[in-house]
Amino acid sequence: MSEPIDLKSSKRMSITLIPRANTELEWLQGQTQMSQTDLINRAIQIMGFIERQLADGKELLVRKDGEVEKITIV
């Protein structure tokens, strides 16, 4: 469920997605049943979190079956 919108601090935008981003958005909608707006808001928040962590000298790691892979975002 979405959080209530504070109209005083919200921002309405019109964006054009590149084909790859649009494909991912459609896939995510199918996986999560979330709205496009909620998914884009979440993506921005996640990117902000990751950038703050990297700026603080931390690394982004993914672990699967005991194997760890360092992720580099360019």
Side-chain angles (χ1 to χ4, degrees), residues 5 8 19 64:
I5 297 173
K8 294 177 185 171
K64 180 178 179 181

Side-chain angles (χ1 to χ4, degrees), residues 11 35-47:
K11 182 175 187 172
S35 71
Q36 290 180 351
T37 299
D38 287 342
L39 288 166
I40 292 168
N41 280 321
R42 183 172 284 189
I44 292 168
Q45 292 174 59
I46 291 169
M47 188 68 187

